[in-house]
């Protein structure tokens, strides 16, 4: 029996290292995004500041390791073998869950994950014991109070953080505007004094509270004299910032943002380290206790005793987290999600539009219109001027230094205040929602991007609330497997974790390589050839999908039609994305093509219209057969086959001209198009005659006429595309 628990400790140690990596990859967004989003300093400087904060915080990590040992369950009710399987289930689940969120670039709470994994695993082990003839009830095993407290903390912190971030950012922008330099010259020292006071308060009461760096007596003194200390800090910081700004001529906003980054990193390592190594430490201590007594079936009531963590282990964990911060690609992906949702300018959006987001935007627009009726025009003009953004040349930061300081200040104040009041909340949730609220107030969510940004925020929030349920469920199942499977289950779960992490890393690497290739192509000298090649490939796929869709209709092949519908939607999405990237493409054109650049805009738009028309053919076709409606008559099939043959000829000539950059036969395609349009008129007349004679069903007739209409659109837009491409490449 001893050997299996030695194996468990070894596996726990290995999982802890992996847990540190995936955990930091997720939580890096908490303390990096304000500095990265404002481009306050080169990336390496920001990373150095955050790394120092993490190392210092890990060395003086707080005594919160008890959360993993006895915060959710009563260890006196579990034997040594029970808690080892319980802890192992938690570690397996945590890695799988966090790696899943990291792969999709969605930030989540490691605290919520840990608590509900402990809860799910503890419930599973308790049920096994109860089923095994134990007379105890589930309530004797589980302490659900803390879990319920965290749920209430989530609900409160999400709403409060968003509201405070919105209100304070709005007031701040009214004061400073986007052209803040003149106003900041007078009020900057006071503003940064307030921010640094809040950050200092956060660093002490969230980052250093209960650590070995500050004694209990020191913390008691700070608590007793909090108001005086904060006022003194405000005056001191304001004077220091005034000296630095006016005498040393240093940008004090940058100092404030870097100080906030350091503070958040310090608090993260000091408090959230328990989420990554707490379970291992609890398992390792349990192993030592059992080995000393030699009783593998002893109850683990000793886990309720206070614990003092080894500084060497804390430092090692800090080093692993720091290395992860520097080298993890997934960490950058998670941070990019928040930056995309908070950036000031519109552009290519990562998330789509939903009915909920559209309804929210529509309601907000209508409310704003009603509100404007009661606000004097002079006030509206003044406010609009304060929110008028600066249009900078070249690559600009997602948001400015003013918003970065608001994000850090508000997040620090909310987190430290809640901590001092012993209210549960998630650092991730607060920092994210403050950033979203400030971006909303800063009018980053304009009419062009609001629905997509709201969809993104709702997606992330949905993931947060699913975290608790998913963490509980997976940990529950894994714990049952381990309790009944023992050694075989341990080995199997270890292999599964390795496989999932490897696959997710390969997926991320594949996406990165694809993006790198796209960037390299977009900045090369042969940008025109690449664009032409992409358009040729798109036209070839359009021809194939159109042909196969008609074949699927004729044969009533549901599977083929479903596949063609998916392919046409993929073509449309690609064309739609290319349309939004057109500005970046134009920026890479050489002088030879600049004068004809507007033709490229037309080409992209025409490809988008062709793919849209194709979707309007494939989707109704699939739905028609999927709903088991009657198919086309032989006369309808004959007409469509003749049209399809002529479409294939026209598209074949179009693709040939695009490929070879030879447009000598463009007039011939125009003749074929006119001939096909005459054919359209004839088949529509024949269809009308069939409708009058009752030879075809209503739904089949509607689909038939839709196909004719959209095919006509495809041919017309393709002809326009060909003309625009000809002018574009003419130097």
């Amino acid at each position: 029996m001893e050997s299996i628990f030695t194996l468990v400790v070894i596996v726990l140690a290995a999982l802890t290292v992996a847990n540190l990596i995936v955990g930091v990859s997720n939580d890096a967004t908490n303390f990096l995004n304000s500095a990265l989003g404002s481009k306050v300093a080169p990336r390496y400087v920001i990373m150095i500041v955050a790394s120092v904060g993490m190392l210092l915080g890990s060395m003086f990590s707080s005594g919160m390791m008890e959360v993993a040992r006895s915060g959710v369950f009563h260890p006196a009710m579990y034997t040594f073998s029970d808690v080892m399987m319980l802890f192992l289930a938690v570690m397996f689940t945590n890695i799988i869950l966090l790696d899943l969120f990291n792969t999709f670039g969605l930030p989540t709470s490691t605290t919520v994950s840990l608590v509900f994994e402990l809860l799910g695993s503890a419930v599973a082990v308790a049920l096994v014991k109860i089923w095994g003839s134990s007379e105890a009830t589930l309530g004797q095993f589980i302490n659900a109070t803390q879990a319920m407290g965290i749920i209430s903390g989530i609900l409160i912190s999400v709403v409060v953080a968003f509201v405070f971030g919105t209100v304070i950012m709005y007031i701040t922008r009214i004061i400073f505007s986007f052209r803040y330099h003149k106003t900041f010259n007078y009020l900057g020292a006071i503003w940064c004094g307030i921010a640094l006071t809040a950050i200092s308060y956060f660093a002490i009461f969230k980052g250093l509270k209960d650590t070995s760096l500050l004694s209990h007596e020191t913390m008691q003194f700070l608590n007793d004299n909090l108001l005086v200390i904060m006022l003194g800090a405000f005056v001191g910081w304001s004077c220091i910032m005034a000296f630095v700004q006016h005498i040393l001529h240093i940008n004090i906003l940058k100092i404030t943002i870097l100080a906030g980054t350091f503070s958040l990193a310090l608090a993260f390592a000091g408090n959230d380290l328990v989420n990554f190594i707490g379970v291992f430490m609890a398992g390792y201590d349990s192993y030592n206790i059992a080995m000393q007594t030699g009783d593998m079936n002893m109850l683990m009531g000793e886990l309720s005793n206070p614990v003092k963590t080894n500084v060497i282990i804390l430092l090692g964990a800090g080093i692993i987290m720091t290395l992860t911060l520097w080298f993890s690609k997934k960490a950058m992906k998670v941070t990019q999600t928040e930056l995309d949702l908070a950036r000031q300018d519109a552009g290519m959006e990562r998330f789509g539009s939903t009915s909920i987001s559209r309804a929210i935007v529509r309601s907000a627009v209508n409310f704003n219109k009603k509100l404007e009726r009661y606000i004097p025009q002079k006030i509206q003009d003044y406010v609009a001027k304060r929110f008028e953004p600066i249009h900078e040349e070249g690559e600009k930061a997602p948001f400015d230094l003013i918003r970065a300081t608001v994000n850090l200040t508000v997040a620090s104040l909310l987190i430290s205040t809640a901590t001092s009041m012993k209210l549960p909340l998630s650092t991730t949730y607060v920092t994210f929602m403050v950033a979203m609220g400030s971006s909303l107030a800063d009018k980053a969510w304009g009419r062009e991007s609001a629905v997509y940004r709201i969809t993104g925020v709702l997606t992330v929030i949905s993931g947060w609330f699913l975290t608790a349920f998913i963490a509980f469920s997976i940990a529950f199942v894994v714990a049952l497997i381990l309790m009944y499977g023992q050694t075989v289950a341990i080995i199997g779960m270890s292999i599964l974790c390795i496989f999932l992490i490897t696959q997710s890393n390969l997926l991320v690497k594949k996406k990165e390589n694809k993006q790198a290739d796209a960037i390299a192509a977009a900045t090369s000298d042969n940008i025109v050839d690449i664009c032409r090649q992409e358009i040729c490939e798109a036209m070839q796929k359009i021809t194939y999908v159109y042909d196969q869709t008609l074949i699927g209709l004729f044969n009533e092949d549901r599977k083929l039609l479903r596949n063609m519908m998916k392919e046409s939607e993929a073509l449309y999405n690609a064309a739609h994305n290319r349309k939004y990237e057109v500005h970046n493409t134009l920026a890479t054109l050489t002088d030879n093509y600049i004068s004809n650049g507007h033709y490229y805009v037309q080409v992209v738009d025409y490809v988008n219209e062709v793919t849209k028309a194709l979707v309007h053919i494939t989707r109704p076709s699939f739905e028609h057969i999927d709903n088991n409606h009657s198919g086309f008559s032989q006369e309808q099939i004959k007409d469509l086959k003749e049209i399809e043959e002529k479409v294939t000829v026209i598209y074949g000539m179009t693709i040939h001209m695009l490929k070879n950059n030879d447009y000598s036969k463009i007039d011939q395609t125009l003749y074929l198009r006119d001939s096909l349009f005459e054919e359209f008129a004839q088949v529509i007349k024949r269809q009308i005659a069939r409708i009058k004679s009752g030879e075809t069903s209503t739904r089949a007739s509607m689909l038939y006429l839709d196909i004719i209409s959209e095919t006509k659109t495809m041919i017309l837009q393709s002809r326009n595309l060909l003309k625009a491409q000809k002018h574009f490449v003419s130097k």
Side-chain angles (χ1 to χ4, degrees):
M1 280 293 289
E2 182 178 334
S3 59
I4 185 176
F5 294 117
T6 303
L7 173 64
V8 170
V9 173
I10 294 172
V11 173
L12 279 175
L15 292 174
T16 298
V17 175
N19 200 23
L20 283 166
I21 295 172
V22 296
V24 175
S25 297
N26 188 279
D27 283 2
T29 181
N30 296 346
F31 49 86
L32 286 180
N33 276 13
S34 291
L36 291 176
S38 60
K39 294 187 177 180
V40 66
R43 178 181 287 271
Y44 75 89
V45 174
I46 297 171
M47 300 292 274
I48 290 173
V49 171
S51 299
V52 173
M54 285 178 60
L55 282 172
L56 183 61
S58 64
M59 291 177 63
F60 300 102
S61 184
S62 64
M64 293 181 65
M65 297 297 172
E66 285 82 3
V67 173
R69 298 159 63 94
S70 57
V72 176
F73 62 93
H74 300 297
M77 298 296 295
Y78 295 82
T79 65
F80 167 65
S81 59
D82 294 334
V83 296
M84 294 304 283
M85 293 303 166
L86 187 157
F87 292 142
L88 196 56
V90 170
M91 294 300 288
F92 279 132
T93 304
N94 207 35
I95 289 174
I96 293 172
L97 185 63
L98 291 181
D99 189 67
L100 179 67
F101 274 91
N102 294 346
T103 300
F104 290 100
L106 299 175
T108 191
S109 171
T110 52
T111 303
V112 173
S113 301
L114 174 69
V115 171
F116 280 90
E117 286 157 6
L118 284 166
L119 186 61
S121 182
V123 169
V125 175
L127 289 176
V128 171
K129 291 176 69 67
I130 293 172
W131 295 335
S133 75
S134 173
E135 296 181 358
T137 62
L138 186 60
Q140 293 176 276
F141 287 89
I142 305 300
N143 177 16
T145 304
Q146 184 166 347
M148 295 303 102
I150 288 179
I151 291 179
S152 63
I154 292 173
L155 292 170
I156 295 171
S157 64
V158 165
V159 176
V160 171
F162 186 80
V163 171
F164 270 75
T166 303
V167 172
I168 295 178
M169 184 68 243
Y170 188 86
I171 295 172
T172 302
R173 192 61 75 186
I174 290 290
I175 296 172
F176 292 106
S177 81
F178 280 95
R179 296 163 179 80
Y180 58 84
H181 297 89
K182 183 177 180 180
T183 307
F184 196 79
N185 193 45
Y186 303 104
L187 301 177
I190 296 175
W191 168 252
C192 287
I194 296 172
L196 287 170
T197 301
I199 290 168
S200 301
Y201 178 58
F202 171 82
I204 294 172
F205 287 93
K206 179 65 177 174
L208 299 178
K209 184 181 180 181
D210 297 328
T211 68
S212 57
L213 192 63
L214 295 179
S215 65
H216 176 73
E217 291 75 16
T218 303
M219 283 303 305
Q220 187 62 43
F221 174 79
L222 292 174
N223 278 315
D224 293 341
N225 301 277
L226 181 61
L227 182 60
V228 175
I229 292 172
M230 289 298 103
L231 286 174
F234 167 66
V235 174
W237 280 123
S238 298
C239 293
I240 293 172
M241 290 298 101
F243 175 80
V244 171
Q245 181 184 23
H246 297 292
I247 305 301
L248 302 181
H249 302 291
I250 296 175
N251 190 334
I252 56 177
L253 278 174
K254 294 185 176 182
I255 296 175
T256 305
I257 294 169
L258 291 176
T261 301
F262 173 84
S263 178
L264 283 171
L266 175 76
F268 159 73
N271 287 268
D272 291 356
L273 189 60
V274 63
N275 301 339
F276 313 129
I277 72 170
V279 173
F280 165 71
M281 294 305 303
Y284 183 65
D285 290 343
S286 301
Y287 179 79
N288 288 332
I289 293 170
M291 291 304 103
Q292 289 173 4
T293 61
D295 184 4
M296 298 294 107
N297 294 312
M298 67 177 294
L299 295 174
M300 299 305 298
E302 287 190 42
L303 288 179
S304 298
N305 298 333
V307 60
K308 199 69 175 179
T309 309
N310 191 310
V311 177
I312 303 283
I313 295 176
L314 293 177
L315 180 59
I319 292 172
I320 293 173
M321 291 193 298
T322 303
L323 292 174
T324 302
L325 187 67
W326 281 87
F327 299 109
S328 174
K329 299 297 183 183
K330 290 184 180 180
M332 294 301 102
K333 186 174 182 181
V334 176
T335 60
Q336 192 60 44
T337 297
E338 183 178 316
L339 294 179
D340 286 343
L341 292 173
R343 71 179 189 270
Q344 191 67 40
D345 60 322
M348 185 61 198
E349 300 292 341
R350 175 179 170 183
F351 297 92
S353 171
T354 63
S355 57
I356 296 176
S357 63
R358 290 192 294 271
I360 292 174
V361 172
R362 195 176 301 114
S363 300
V365 170
N366 293 335
F367 175 78
N368 188 61
K369 288 180 179 178
K370 292 179 180 179
L371 189 63
E372 287 177 348
R373 299 174 186 172
Y374 304 99
I375 300 176
Q377 189 62 43
K378 288 185 177 181
I379 296 179
Q380 292 186 39
D381 294 340
Y382 175 78
V383 171
K385 189 175 181 180
R386 305 302 286 177
F387 282 89
E388 186 178 314
I390 299 175
H391 299 288
E392 300 175 354
E393 296 295 331
E395 186 179 1
K396 60 180 180 179
F399 46 83
D400 64 5
L401 299 176
I402 291 291
R403 202 204 304 177
T405 57
V406 169
N407 290 346
L408 289 167
T409 304
V410 176
S412 297
L413 274 175
L414 291 176
I415 295 169
S416 52
T417 301
T419 301
S420 64
M421 297 172 63
K422 298 183 178 180
L423 297 175
L425 51 71
S426 165
T427 305
T428 300
Y429 297 170
V430 171
T431 53
F432 181 86
M433 292 309 296
V434 167
M436 294 304 100
S438 66
S439 63
L440 172 64
D442 223 11
K443 299 189 182 298
W445 297 3
R447 295 286 291 272
E448 299 298 317
S449 61
V451 289
Y452 311 112
R453 305 283 175 90
I454 291 174
T455 300
V457 173
L458 293 177
T459 300
V460 174
I461 293 176
S462 300
W464 292 348
F465 288 100
L466 285 174
T467 297
F469 174 76
I470 296 172
F472 179 93
S473 303
I474 297 178
F476 181 87
V477 173
V478 173
L480 288 179
I481 293 172
L482 293 176
M483 287 294 289
Y484 289 111
Q486 298 293 310
T487 306
V488 175
I490 293 172
I491 296 173
M493 287 302 303
S494 299
I495 294 173
L496 177 62
C497 275
I498 294 172
F499 173 77
L500 291 176
I501 292 175
T502 302
Q503 287 297 111
S504 66
N505 286 333
L506 289 175
L507 178 64
V508 172
K509 188 174 182 180
K510 184 178 179 181
K511 288 183 178 179
E512 288 175 355
N513 292 337
K514 186 176 181 181
Q515 291 174 354
D517 292 341
I519 292 172
T523 56
S524 63
D525 293 334
N526 60 342
I527 181 67
V528 176
D529 293 333
I530 292 171
C531 294
R532 184 172 63 244
Q533 182 180 351
E534 289 179 353
I535 293 169
C536 287
E537 291 176 356
M539 295 300 291
Q540 287 175 325
K541 291 179 181 178
I542 290 168
T543 305
Y544 171 77
V545 171
Y546 179 80
D547 177 68
Q548 292 298 305
T549 299
L550 292 182
I551 292 175
L553 267 176
F554 300 157
N555 298 328
E556 299 186 22
D557 189 336
R558 179 178 171 275
K559 183 178 180 181
L560 177 60
L561 288 171
R562 182 178 63 245
N563 292 336
M564 292 304 103
M565 180 183 67
K566 290 180 179 178
E567 288 201 29
S568 68
E569 289 174 346
L571 283 169
Y572 174 69
N573 290 333
H576 194 64
N577 292 342
R578 188 185 295 112
K579 185 176 180 179
Y580 275 97
E581 293 170 355
V582 68
H583 297 292
N584 295 331
T585 304
L586 291 174
T588 63
L589 294 177
T590 60
D591 293 338
N592 294 333
Y593 295 96
I594 288 296
S595 60
N596 294 336
H598 64 284
Y599 287 115
Y600 176 73
V601 177
Q602 294 178 2
V603 169
V604 171
D605 190 54
Y606 292 143
V607 173
N608 186 68
E609 293 301 317
V610 172
T611 56
K612 185 190 296 183
L614 183 64
V615 169
H616 290 163
I617 292 174
T618 58
R619 190 180 294 161
S621 297
F622 168 72
E623 291 174 353
H624 185 87
I625 300 302
D626 190 43
N627 289 324
N628 299 305
H629 298 315
S630 58
F632 289 147
S633 65
Q634 291 300 316
E635 291 79 8
Q636 289 174 318
I637 292 175
K638 180 182 177 183
D639 287 345
L640 287 176
K641 280 185 176 180
E642 291 177 357
I643 289 173
E644 189 273 333
E645 290 174 358
K646 293 183 179 180
V647 169
T648 302
V649 172
I650 293 174
Y651 269 43
M653 294 178 64
T654 301
I655 294 168
H656 177 79
M657 284 186 279
L658 290 171
K659 273 187 175 181
N660 298 284
N661 201 23
D662 178 9
Y663 302 93
S664 58
K665 295 183 178 180
I666 194 169
D667 291 334
Q668 188 175 346
T669 60
L670 179 60
Y671 172 78
L672 292 174
R673 184 204 67 176
D674 294 340
S675 175
L676 180 58
F677 281 4
E678 292 177 4
E679 182 69 18
F680 284 149
Q682 295 301 318
V683 298
I684 290 173
K685 289 179 181 179
R686 290 197 290 269
Q687 177 59 23
I688 292 173
R690 286 192 289 266
I691 292 173
K692 286 186 175 181
S693 63
E695 297 178 18
T696 180
S697 68
T698 301
R699 293 190 180 276
S701 296
M702 291 173 60
L703 177 60
Y704 179 89
L705 293 173
D706 283 344
I707 291 174
I708 298 298
S709 175
E710 297 300 335
T711 301
K712 187 175 182 180
T713 300
M714 286 174 57
I715 295 299
L716 182 63
Q717 298 294 354
S718 298
R719 173 66 169 74
N720 294 336
L721 183 157
L722 198 60
K723 291 174 64 177
Q725 180 68 9
K726 175 185 176 182
H727 290 297
F728 174 56
V729 298
S730 299
K731 296 182 287 185

PDB file of all heavy atoms in Angstrom, residues 155-170:
ATOM      1  N   LEU A 155     -21.206  37.047  -7.857  1.00  0.00           N
ATOM      2  CA  LEU A 155     -22.331  37.870  -8.308  1.00  0.00           C
ATOM      3  C   LEU A 155     -22.127  39.343  -7.953  1.00  0.00           C
ATOM      4  O   LEU A 155     -22.355  40.229  -8.779  1.00  0.00           O
ATOM      5  CB  LEU A 155     -23.624  37.352  -7.671  1.00  0.00           C
ATOM      6  CG  LEU A 155     -24.093  35.968  -8.135  1.00  0.00           C
ATOM      7  CD1 LEU A 155     -25.234  35.478  -7.252  1.00  0.00           C
ATOM      8  CD2 LEU A 155     -24.523  36.007  -9.590  1.00  0.00           C
ATOM      9  N   ILE A 156     -21.682  39.565  -6.739  1.00  0.00           N
ATOM     10  CA  ILE A 156     -21.499  40.950  -6.290  1.00  0.00           C
ATOM     11  C   ILE A 156     -20.330  41.610  -7.005  1.00  0.00           C
ATOM     12  O   ILE A 156     -20.433  42.734  -7.508  1.00  0.00           O
ATOM     13  CB  ILE A 156     -21.288  40.986  -4.760  1.00  0.00           C
ATOM     14  CG1 ILE A 156     -22.555  40.501  -4.042  1.00  0.00           C
ATOM     15  CG2 ILE A 156     -20.923  42.398  -4.296  1.00  0.00           C
ATOM     16  CD1 ILE A 156     -22.376  40.303  -2.557  1.00  0.00           C
ATOM     17  N   SER A 157     -19.190  40.903  -7.066  1.00  0.00           N
ATOM     18  CA  SER A 157     -17.981  41.515  -7.610  1.00  0.00           C
ATOM     19  C   SER A 157     -18.111  41.824  -9.096  1.00  0.00           C
ATOM     20  O   SER A 157     -17.605  42.850  -9.564  1.00  0.00           O
ATOM     21  CB  SER A 157     -16.771  40.596  -7.381  1.00  0.00           C
ATOM     22  OG  SER A 157     -16.910  39.372  -8.079  1.00  0.00           O
ATOM     23  N   VAL A 158     -18.796  40.972  -9.846  1.00  0.00           N
ATOM     24  CA  VAL A 158     -18.952  41.203 -11.281  1.00  0.00           C
ATOM     25  C   VAL A 158     -19.722  42.501 -11.532  1.00  0.00           C
ATOM     26  O   VAL A 158     -19.306  43.343 -12.335  1.00  0.00           O
ATOM     27  CB  VAL A 158     -19.666  40.006 -11.942  1.00  0.00           C
ATOM     28  CG1 VAL A 158     -20.154  40.372 -13.337  1.00  0.00           C
ATOM     29  CG2 VAL A 158     -18.741  38.802 -12.016  1.00  0.00           C
ATOM     30  N   VAL A 159     -20.827  42.674 -10.835  1.00  0.00           N
ATOM     31  CA  VAL A 159     -21.668  43.855 -11.039  1.00  0.00           C
ATOM     32  C   VAL A 159     -20.982  45.116 -10.517  1.00  0.00           C
ATOM     33  O   VAL A 159     -20.904  46.141 -11.203  1.00  0.00           O
ATOM     34  CB  VAL A 159     -23.039  43.662 -10.355  1.00  0.00           C
ATOM     35  CG1 VAL A 159     -23.875  44.931 -10.483  1.00  0.00           C
ATOM     36  CG2 VAL A 159     -23.768  42.481 -10.968  1.00  0.00           C
ATOM     37  N   VAL A 160     -20.465  45.026  -9.287  1.00  0.00           N
ATOM     38  CA  VAL A 160     -19.844  46.194  -8.660  1.00  0.00           C
ATOM     39  C   VAL A 160     -18.631  46.660  -9.460  1.00  0.00           C
ATOM     40  O   VAL A 160     -18.441  47.865  -9.693  1.00  0.00           O
ATOM     41  CB  VAL A 160     -19.450  45.880  -7.200  1.00  0.00           C
ATOM     42  CG1 VAL A 160     -18.600  47.003  -6.621  1.00  0.00           C
ATOM     43  CG2 VAL A 160     -20.696  45.667  -6.355  1.00  0.00           C
ATOM     44  N   ALA A 161     -17.786  45.720  -9.879  1.00  0.00           N
ATOM     45  CA  ALA A 161     -16.576  46.081 -10.623  1.00  0.00           C
ATOM     46  C   ALA A 161     -16.925  46.768 -11.935  1.00  0.00           C
ATOM     47  O   ALA A 161     -16.305  47.777 -12.312  1.00  0.00           O
ATOM     48  CB  ALA A 161     -15.733  44.833 -10.886  1.00  0.00           C
ATOM     49  N   PHE A 162     -17.925  46.264 -12.631  1.00  0.00           N
ATOM     50  CA  PHE A 162     -18.317  46.853 -13.909  1.00  0.00           C
ATOM     51  C   PHE A 162     -18.874  48.267 -13.707  1.00  0.00           C
ATOM     52  O   PHE A 162     -18.518  49.198 -14.438  1.00  0.00           O
ATOM     53  CB  PHE A 162     -19.352  45.969 -14.598  1.00  0.00           C
ATOM     54  CG  PHE A 162     -19.712  46.418 -15.984  1.00  0.00           C
ATOM     55  CD1 PHE A 162     -18.886  46.128 -17.061  1.00  0.00           C
ATOM     56  CD2 PHE A 162     -20.875  47.130 -16.219  1.00  0.00           C
ATOM     57  CE1 PHE A 162     -19.211  46.547 -18.345  1.00  0.00           C
ATOM     58  CE2 PHE A 162     -21.212  47.556 -17.487  1.00  0.00           C
ATOM     59  CZ  PHE A 162     -20.374  47.257 -18.557  1.00  0.00           C
ATOM     60  N   VAL A 163     -19.734  48.430 -12.713  1.00  0.00           N
ATOM     61  CA  VAL A 163     -20.347  49.737 -12.463  1.00  0.00           C
ATOM     62  C   VAL A 163     -19.290  50.754 -12.046  1.00  0.00           C
ATOM     63  O   VAL A 163     -19.243  51.879 -12.569  1.00  0.00           O
ATOM     64  CB  VAL A 163     -21.438  49.616 -11.385  1.00  0.00           C
ATOM     65  CG1 VAL A 163     -21.922  51.000 -10.957  1.00  0.00           C
ATOM     66  CG2 VAL A 163     -22.607  48.791 -11.902  1.00  0.00           C
ATOM     67  N   PHE A 164     -18.432  50.384 -11.093  1.00  0.00           N
ATOM     68  CA  PHE A 164     -17.401  51.315 -10.631  1.00  0.00           C
ATOM     69  C   PHE A 164     -16.434  51.659 -11.758  1.00  0.00           C
ATOM     70  O   PHE A 164     -16.020  52.820 -11.901  1.00  0.00           O
ATOM     71  CB  PHE A 164     -16.645  50.709  -9.443  1.00  0.00           C
ATOM     72  CG  PHE A 164     -17.253  51.037  -8.117  1.00  0.00           C
ATOM     73  CD1 PHE A 164     -18.413  50.400  -7.700  1.00  0.00           C
ATOM     74  CD2 PHE A 164     -16.694  51.987  -7.291  1.00  0.00           C
ATOM     75  CE1 PHE A 164     -18.998  50.698  -6.488  1.00  0.00           C
ATOM     76  CE2 PHE A 164     -17.262  52.298  -6.062  1.00  0.00           C
ATOM     77  CZ  PHE A 164     -18.422  51.647  -5.662  1.00  0.00           C
ATOM     78  N   GLY A 165     -16.036  50.656 -12.545  1.00  0.00           N
ATOM     79  CA  GLY A 165     -15.133  50.922 -13.664  1.00  0.00           C
ATOM     80  C   GLY A 165     -15.739  51.883 -14.660  1.00  0.00           C
ATOM     81  O   GLY A 165     -15.065  52.790 -15.171  1.00  0.00           O
ATOM     82  N   THR A 166     -17.038  51.729 -14.930  1.00  0.00           N
ATOM     83  CA  THR A 166     -17.730  52.603 -15.881  1.00  0.00           C
ATOM     84  C   THR A 166     -17.837  54.031 -15.353  1.00  0.00           C
ATOM     85  O   THR A 166     -17.485  54.996 -16.047  1.00  0.00           O
ATOM     86  CB  THR A 166     -19.139  52.047 -16.163  1.00  0.00           C
ATOM     87  OG1 THR A 166     -19.040  50.711 -16.650  1.00  0.00           O
ATOM     88  CG2 THR A 166     -19.852  52.905 -17.191  1.00  0.00           C
ATOM     89  N   VAL A 167     -18.319  54.180 -14.135  1.00  0.00           N
ATOM     90  CA  VAL A 167     -18.567  55.516 -13.563  1.00  0.00           C
ATOM     91  C   VAL A 167     -17.264  56.292 -13.394  1.00  0.00           C
ATOM     92  O   VAL A 167     -17.157  57.463 -13.795  1.00  0.00           O
ATOM     93  CB  VAL A 167     -19.306  55.387 -12.213  1.00  0.00           C
ATOM     94  CG1 VAL A 167     -19.397  56.748 -11.527  1.00  0.00           C
ATOM     95  CG2 VAL A 167     -20.698  54.798 -12.422  1.00  0.00           C
ATOM     96  N   ILE A 168     -16.258  55.656 -12.806  1.00  0.00           N
ATOM     97  CA  ILE A 168     -15.004  56.369 -12.538  1.00  0.00           C
ATOM     98  C   ILE A 168     -14.272  56.702 -13.837  1.00  0.00           C
ATOM     99  O   ILE A 168     -13.691  57.786 -13.966  1.00  0.00           O
ATOM    100  CB  ILE A 168     -14.115  55.526 -11.600  1.00  0.00           C
ATOM    101  CG1 ILE A 168     -14.799  55.402 -10.234  1.00  0.00           C
ATOM    102  CG2 ILE A 168     -12.730  56.162 -11.439  1.00  0.00           C
ATOM    103  CD1 ILE A 168     -14.061  54.551  -9.237  1.00  0.00           C
ATOM    104  N   MET A 169     -14.326  55.827 -14.810  1.00  0.00           N
ATOM    105  CA  MET A 169     -13.689  56.134 -16.089  1.00  0.00           C
ATOM    106  C   MET A 169     -14.402  57.294 -16.783  1.00  0.00           C
ATOM    107  O   MET A 169     -13.753  58.167 -17.378  1.00  0.00           O
ATOM    108  CB  MET A 169     -13.708  54.888 -16.987  1.00  0.00           C
ATOM    109  CG  MET A 169     -12.989  55.065 -18.318  1.00  0.00           C
ATOM    110  SD  MET A 169     -11.211  55.243 -18.158  1.00  0.00           S
ATOM    111  CE  MET A 169     -10.956  56.889 -18.782  1.00  0.00           C
ATOM    112  N   TYR A 170     -15.724  57.327 -16.706  1.00  0.00           N
ATOM    113  CA  TYR A 170     -16.480  58.404 -17.338  1.00  0.00           C
ATOM    114  C   TYR A 170     -16.121  59.754 -16.711  1.00  0.00           C
ATOM    115  O   TYR A 170     -15.857  60.736 -17.422  1.00  0.00           O
ATOM    116  CB  TYR A 170     -17.977  58.137 -17.194  1.00  0.00           C
ATOM    117  CG  TYR A 170     -18.846  59.082 -17.982  1.00  0.00           C
ATOM    118  CD1 TYR A 170     -19.146  58.825 -19.326  1.00  0.00           C
ATOM    119  CD2 TYR A 170     -19.384  60.222 -17.401  1.00  0.00           C
ATOM    120  CE1 TYR A 170     -19.943  59.689 -20.057  1.00  0.00           C
ATOM    121  CE2 TYR A 170     -20.183  61.088 -18.124  1.00  0.00           C
ATOM    122  CZ  TYR A 170     -20.460  60.820 -19.451  1.00  0.00           C
ATOM    123  OH  TYR A 170     -21.249  61.683 -20.166  1.00  0.00           O
TER     124      TYR A 170
END
